[in-house]
mmCIF file of all heavy atoms in Angstrom:
data_model
loop_
_atom_site.group_PDB
_atom_site.id
_atom_site.type_symbol
_atom_site.label_atom_id
_atom_site.label_comp_id
_atom_site.label_asym_id
_atom_site.label_seq_id
_atom_site.Cartn_x
_atom_site.Cartn_y
_atom_site.Cartn_z
ATOM 1 N N TRP A 1 0.826 -1.194 0.000
ATOM 2 C CA TRP A 1 0.000 0.000 0.000
ATOM 3 C C TRP A 1 0.866 1.253 0.000
ATOM 4 O O TRP A 1 1.905 1.296 0.658
ATOM 5 C CB TRP A 1 -0.920 -0.008 1.225
ATOM 6 C CG TRP A 1 -1.551 1.307 1.535
ATOM 7 C CD1 TRP A 1 -2.635 1.858 0.936
ATOM 8 C CD2 TRP A 1 -1.123 2.240 2.532
ATOM 9 N NE1 TRP A 1 -2.923 3.083 1.498
ATOM 10 C CE2 TRP A 1 -2.005 3.329 2.485
ATOM 11 C CE3 TRP A 1 -0.082 2.246 3.466
ATOM 12 C CZ2 TRP A 1 -1.892 4.425 3.322
ATOM 13 C CZ3 TRP A 1 0.047 3.328 4.312
ATOM 14 C CH2 TRP A 1 -0.845 4.402 4.234
ATOM 15 N N VAL A 2 0.440 2.263 -0.724
ATOM 16 C CA VAL A 2 1.194 3.510 -0.832
ATOM 17 C C VAL A 2 0.440 4.686 -0.230
ATOM 18 O O VAL A 2 1.003 5.442 0.559
ATOM 19 C CB VAL A 2 1.548 3.824 -2.299
ATOM 20 C CG1 VAL A 2 2.218 5.194 -2.416
ATOM 21 C CG2 VAL A 2 2.463 2.737 -2.859
ATOM 22 N N ALA A 3 -0.826 4.873 -0.611
ATOM 23 C CA ALA A 3 -1.568 6.043 -0.160
ATOM 24 C C ALA A 3 -3.062 5.794 -0.232
ATOM 25 O O ALA A 3 -3.534 4.981 -1.023
ATOM 26 C CB ALA A 3 -1.215 7.274 -1.009
ATOM 27 N N THR A 4 -3.815 6.502 0.605
ATOM 28 C CA THR A 4 -5.271 6.420 0.648
ATOM 29 C C THR A 4 -5.855 7.814 0.755
ATOM 30 O O THR A 4 -5.298 8.673 1.449
ATOM 31 C CB THR A 4 -5.754 5.584 1.853
ATOM 32 O OG1 THR A 4 -5.282 4.241 1.734
ATOM 33 C CG2 THR A 4 -7.275 5.566 1.931
ATOM 34 N N ILE A 5 -6.967 8.029 0.080
ATOM 35 C CA ILE A 5 -7.739 9.252 0.265
ATOM 36 C C ILE A 5 -9.202 8.861 0.441
ATOM 37 O O ILE A 5 -9.748 8.078 -0.332
ATOM 38 C CB ILE A 5 -7.545 10.242 -0.899
ATOM 39 C CG1 ILE A 5 -8.298 11.548 -0.621
ATOM 40 C CG2 ILE A 5 -7.955 9.637 -2.234
ATOM 41 C CD1 ILE A 5 -7.883 12.681 -1.543
ATOM 42 N N SER A 6 -9.827 9.380 1.488
ATOM 43 C CA SER A 6 -11.218 9.070 1.770
ATOM 44 C C SER A 6 -12.147 9.958 0.959
ATOM 45 O O SER A 6 -11.720 10.915 0.304
ATOM 46 C CB SER A 6 -11.513 9.233 3.263
ATOM 47 O OG SER A 6 -11.574 10.603 3.617
ATOM 48 N N ARG A 7 -13.431 9.646 1.016
ATOM 49 C CA ARG A 7 -14.421 10.460 0.328
ATOM 50 C C ARG A 7 -14.437 11.886 0.877
ATOM 51 O O ARG A 7 -14.778 12.821 0.156
ATOM 52 C CB ARG A 7 -15.797 9.815 0.449
ATOM 53 C CG ARG A 7 -16.890 10.469 -0.359
ATOM 54 C CD ARG A 7 -18.103 9.554 -0.460
ATOM 55 N NE ARG A 7 -19.204 10.180 -1.170
ATOM 56 C CZ ARG A 7 -20.215 10.809 -0.590
ATOM 57 N NH1 ARG A 7 -20.277 10.897 0.728
ATOM 58 N NH2 ARG A 7 -21.182 11.346 -1.322
ATOM 59 N N ARG A 8 -14.072 12.043 2.154
ATOM 60 C CA ARG A 8 -14.013 13.353 2.787
ATOM 61 C C ARG A 8 -12.658 14.032 2.597
ATOM 62 O O ARG A 8 -12.404 15.068 3.196
ATOM 63 C CB ARG A 8 -14.308 13.243 4.281
ATOM 64 C CG ARG A 8 -15.405 12.279 4.669
ATOM 65 C CD ARG A 8 -16.760 12.683 4.165
ATOM 66 N NE ARG A 8 -17.808 11.859 4.772
ATOM 67 C CZ ARG A 8 -19.062 11.789 4.352
ATOM 68 N NH1 ARG A 8 -19.444 12.504 3.312
ATOM 69 N NH2 ARG A 8 -19.930 11.017 4.965
ATOM 70 N N LEU A 9 -11.781 13.439 1.799
ATOM 71 C CA LEU A 9 -10.476 13.980 1.432
ATOM 72 C C LEU A 9 -9.416 13.829 2.520
ATOM 73 O O LEU A 9 -8.360 14.462 2.438
ATOM 74 C CB LEU A 9 -10.587 15.449 1.009
ATOM 75 C CG LEU A 9 -11.586 15.747 -0.114
ATOM 76 C CD1 LEU A 9 -11.514 17.215 -0.509
ATOM 77 C CD2 LEU A 9 -11.310 14.871 -1.330
ATOM 78 N N ALA A 10 -9.658 12.984 3.522
ATOM 79 C CA ALA A 10 -8.605 12.656 4.469
ATOM 80 C C ALA A 10 -7.577 11.768 3.773
ATOM 81 O O ALA A 10 -7.940 10.887 2.991
ATOM 82 C CB ALA A 10 -9.183 11.946 5.685
ATOM 83 N N THR A 11 -6.295 12.000 4.049
ATOM 84 C CA THR A 11 -5.233 11.270 3.360
ATOM 85 C C THR A 11 -4.296 10.580 4.329
ATOM 86 O O THR A 11 -4.154 10.975 5.482
ATOM 87 C CB THR A 11 -4.408 12.206 2.465
ATOM 88 O OG1 THR A 11 -3.814 13.238 3.266
ATOM 89 C CG2 THR A 11 -5.279 12.841 1.396
ATOM 90 N N ASP A 12 -3.625 9.543 3.834
ATOM 91 C CA ASP A 12 -2.614 8.832 4.595
ATOM 92 C C ASP A 12 -1.621 8.239 3.607
ATOM 93 O O ASP A 12 -1.988 7.881 2.489
ATOM 94 C CB ASP A 12 -3.240 7.736 5.457
ATOM 95 C CG ASP A 12 -2.316 7.259 6.563
ATOM 96 O OD1 ASP A 12 -1.291 7.907 6.808
ATOM 97 O OD2 ASP A 12 -2.623 6.221 7.193
ATOM 98 N N TYR A 13 -0.347 8.135 4.031
ATOM 99 C CA TYR A 13 0.722 7.660 3.173
ATOM 100 C C TYR A 13 1.621 6.697 3.917
ATOM 101 O O TYR A 13 1.791 6.793 5.139
ATOM 102 C CB TYR A 13 1.594 8.822 2.685
ATOM 103 C CG TYR A 13 0.857 9.913 1.957
ATOM 104 C CD1 TYR A 13 0.289 10.977 2.651
ATOM 105 C CD2 TYR A 13 0.744 9.889 0.576
ATOM 106 C CE1 TYR A 13 -0.382 11.989 1.981
ATOM 107 C CE2 TYR A 13 0.075 10.900 -0.104
ATOM 108 C CZ TYR A 13 -0.485 11.945 0.611
ATOM 109 O OH TYR A 13 -1.149 12.948 -0.056
ATOM 110 N N VAL A 14 2.226 5.797 3.172
ATOM 111 C CA VAL A 14 3.267 4.974 3.741
ATOM 112 C C VAL A 14 4.491 5.867 3.997
ATOM 113 O O VAL A 14 4.704 6.867 3.288
ATOM 114 C CB VAL A 14 3.617 3.795 2.801
ATOM 115 C CG1 VAL A 14 4.328 4.284 1.550
ATOM 116 C CG2 VAL A 14 4.421 2.731 3.524
ATOM 117 N N ASP A 15 5.279 5.530 5.010
ATOM 118 C CA ASP A 15 6.338 6.428 5.458
ATOM 119 C C ASP A 15 7.320 6.829 4.356
ATOM 120 O O ASP A 15 7.744 7.987 4.288
ATOM 121 C CB ASP A 15 7.104 5.796 6.622
ATOM 122 C CG ASP A 15 6.332 5.835 7.923
ATOM 123 O OD1 ASP A 15 5.338 6.579 8.019
ATOM 124 O OD2 ASP A 15 6.740 5.122 8.861
ATOM 125 N N PHE A 16 7.702 5.906 3.503
ATOM 126 C CA PHE A 16 8.774 6.192 2.562
ATOM 127 C C PHE A 16 8.371 7.109 1.407
ATOM 128 O O PHE A 16 9.222 7.475 0.593
ATOM 129 C CB PHE A 16 9.410 4.889 2.026
ATOM 130 C CG PHE A 16 8.446 3.895 1.445
ATOM 131 C CD1 PHE A 16 7.905 4.077 0.183
ATOM 132 C CD2 PHE A 16 8.108 2.756 2.161
ATOM 133 C CE1 PHE A 16 7.031 3.149 -0.354
ATOM 134 C CE2 PHE A 16 7.227 1.821 1.633
ATOM 135 C CZ PHE A 16 6.686 2.026 0.368
ATOM 136 N N VAL A 17 7.100 7.514 1.315
ATOM 137 C CA VAL A 17 6.708 8.478 0.290
ATOM 138 C C VAL A 17 6.222 9.792 0.884
ATOM 139 O O VAL A 17 5.947 10.734 0.129
ATOM 140 C CB VAL A 17 5.630 7.919 -0.659
ATOM 141 C CG1 VAL A 17 6.064 6.576 -1.229
ATOM 142 C CG2 VAL A 17 4.278 7.809 0.038
ATOM 143 N N LYS A 18 6.132 9.889 2.193
ATOM 144 C CA LYS A 18 5.658 11.112 2.828
ATOM 145 C C LYS A 18 6.564 12.288 2.478
ATOM 146 O O LYS A 18 7.782 12.193 2.537
ATOM 147 C CB LYS A 18 5.591 10.939 4.347
ATOM 148 C CG LYS A 18 4.458 10.042 4.810
ATOM 149 C CD LYS A 18 4.415 9.927 6.329
ATOM 150 C CE LYS A 18 3.244 9.066 6.769
ATOM 151 N NZ LYS A 18 3.218 8.882 8.246
ATOM 152 N N GLY A 19 5.948 13.391 2.110
ATOM 153 C CA GLY A 19 6.686 14.578 1.712
ATOM 154 C C GLY A 19 7.043 14.613 0.248
ATOM 155 O O GLY A 19 7.487 15.656 -0.251
ATOM 156 N N ARG A 20 6.871 13.500 -0.469
ATOM 157 C CA ARG A 20 7.201 13.434 -1.889
ATOM 158 C C ARG A 20 5.970 13.174 -2.761
ATOM 159 O O ARG A 20 5.878 13.703 -3.865
ATOM 160 C CB ARG A 20 8.240 12.341 -2.159
ATOM 161 C CG ARG A 20 9.567 12.561 -1.443
ATOM 162 C CD ARG A 20 10.615 11.555 -1.900
ATOM 163 N NE ARG A 20 10.235 10.172 -1.588
ATOM 164 C CZ ARG A 20 10.073 9.214 -2.502
ATOM 165 N NH1 ARG A 20 10.270 9.478 -3.788
ATOM 166 N NH2 ARG A 20 9.735 7.982 -2.132
ATOM 167 N N PHE A 21 5.035 12.353 -2.277
ATOM 168 C CA PHE A 21 3.847 11.991 -3.047
ATOM 169 C C PHE A 21 2.625 12.697 -2.479
ATOM 170 O O PHE A 21 2.523 12.916 -1.262
ATOM 171 C CB PHE A 21 3.591 10.484 -2.997
ATOM 172 C CG PHE A 21 4.601 9.638 -3.734
ATOM 173 C CD1 PHE A 21 5.768 10.174 -4.245
ATOM 174 C CD2 PHE A 21 4.358 8.282 -3.903
ATOM 175 C CE1 PHE A 21 6.688 9.386 -4.912
ATOM 176 C CE2 PHE A 21 5.266 7.480 -4.573
ATOM 177 C CZ PHE A 21 6.436 8.034 -5.074
ATOM 178 N N THR A 22 1.681 13.018 -3.353
ATOM 179 C CA THR A 22 0.417 13.613 -2.941
ATOM 180 C C THR A 22 -0.729 12.903 -3.644
ATOM 181 O O THR A 22 -0.754 12.837 -4.875
ATOM 182 C CB THR A 22 0.361 15.114 -3.266
ATOM 183 O OG1 THR A 22 1.450 15.791 -2.627
ATOM 184 C CG2 THR A 22 -0.952 15.715 -2.779
ATOM 185 N N ILE A 23 -1.670 12.369 -2.872
ATOM 186 C CA ILE A 23 -2.854 11.742 -3.436
ATOM 187 C C ILE A 23 -3.996 12.756 -3.409
ATOM 188 O O ILE A 23 -4.137 13.526 -2.457
ATOM 189 C CB ILE A 23 -3.229 10.450 -2.666
ATOM 190 C CG1 ILE A 23 -4.369 9.706 -3.374
ATOM 191 C CG2 ILE A 23 -3.574 10.746 -1.217
ATOM 192 C CD1 ILE A 23 -4.638 8.320 -2.794
ATOM 193 N N SER A 24 -4.792 12.769 -4.460
ATOM 194 C CA SER A 24 -5.934 13.667 -4.541
ATOM 195 C C SER A 24 -7.038 12.981 -5.332
ATOM 196 O O SER A 24 -6.820 11.935 -5.946
ATOM 197 C CB SER A 24 -5.545 15.002 -5.183
ATOM 198 O OG SER A 24 -5.078 14.820 -6.506
ATOM 199 N N ARG A 25 -8.219 13.575 -5.322
ATOM 200 C CA ARG A 25 -9.335 12.984 -6.063
ATOM 201 C C ARG A 25 -10.278 14.058 -6.553
ATOM 202 O O ARG A 25 -10.375 15.146 -5.970
ATOM 203 C CB ARG A 25 -10.087 11.957 -5.205
ATOM 204 C CG ARG A 25 -10.815 12.541 -4.014
ATOM 205 C CD ARG A 25 -11.325 11.431 -3.078
ATOM 206 N NE ARG A 25 -12.506 10.764 -3.592
ATOM 207 C CZ ARG A 25 -13.047 9.667 -3.048
ATOM 208 N NH1 ARG A 25 -12.469 9.106 -1.984
ATOM 209 N NH2 ARG A 25 -14.135 9.126 -3.565
ATOM 210 N N ASP A 26 -10.983 13.740 -7.615
ATOM 211 C CA ASP A 26 -12.026 14.582 -8.165
ATOM 212 C C ASP A 26 -13.290 13.732 -8.160
ATOM 213 O O ASP A 26 -13.464 12.865 -9.016
ATOM 214 C CB ASP A 26 -11.672 15.043 -9.573
ATOM 215 C CG ASP A 26 -12.675 16.024 -10.145
ATOM 216 O OD1 ASP A 26 -13.845 16.011 -9.727
ATOM 217 O OD2 ASP A 26 -12.285 16.818 -11.022
ATOM 218 N N ASN A 27 -14.151 13.963 -7.193
ATOM 219 C CA ASN A 27 -15.343 13.126 -7.045
ATOM 220 C C ASN A 27 -16.307 13.268 -8.228
ATOM 221 O O ASN A 27 -16.998 12.315 -8.580
ATOM 222 C CB ASN A 27 -16.067 13.465 -5.738
ATOM 223 C CG ASN A 27 -15.304 12.996 -4.513
ATOM 224 O OD1 ASN A 27 -14.554 12.019 -4.575
ATOM 225 N ND2 ASN A 27 -15.492 13.675 -3.395
ATOM 226 N N ALA A 28 -16.357 14.443 -8.827
ATOM 227 C CA ALA A 28 -17.231 14.648 -9.974
ATOM 228 C C ALA A 28 -16.799 13.802 -11.165
ATOM 229 O O ALA A 28 -17.629 13.400 -11.982
ATOM 230 C CB ALA A 28 -17.275 16.123 -10.362
ATOM 231 N N LYS A 29 -15.496 13.538 -11.275
ATOM 232 C CA LYS A 29 -14.963 12.748 -12.378
ATOM 233 C C LYS A 29 -14.654 11.312 -11.987
ATOM 234 O O LYS A 29 -14.181 10.543 -12.829
ATOM 235 C CB LYS A 29 -13.691 13.405 -12.922
ATOM 236 C CG LYS A 29 -13.902 14.781 -13.520
ATOM 237 C CD LYS A 29 -12.597 15.347 -14.047
ATOM 238 C CE LYS A 29 -12.803 16.712 -14.671
ATOM 239 N NZ LYS A 29 -11.525 17.284 -15.183
#
């Protein structure tokens, strides 16, 4: 697992990508 984003836009990352990767979502799309 690398990253998760909830429907409410809460995010979490595995330690080795924190500060480098960003997860985001577009619910309309």
Side-chain angles (χ1 to χ4, degrees):
W1 165 80
V2 175
T4 297
I5 184 166
S6 74
R7 187 165 177 264
R8 320 295 191 194
L9 305 185
T11 60
D12 198 12
Y13 303 88
V14 70
D15 285 345
F16 53 77
V17 308
K18 288 181 178 177
R20 299 188 298 120
F21 291 9
T22 302
I23 187 171
S24 61
R25 67 190 284 172
D26 185 335
N27 289 332
K29 297 181 179 179

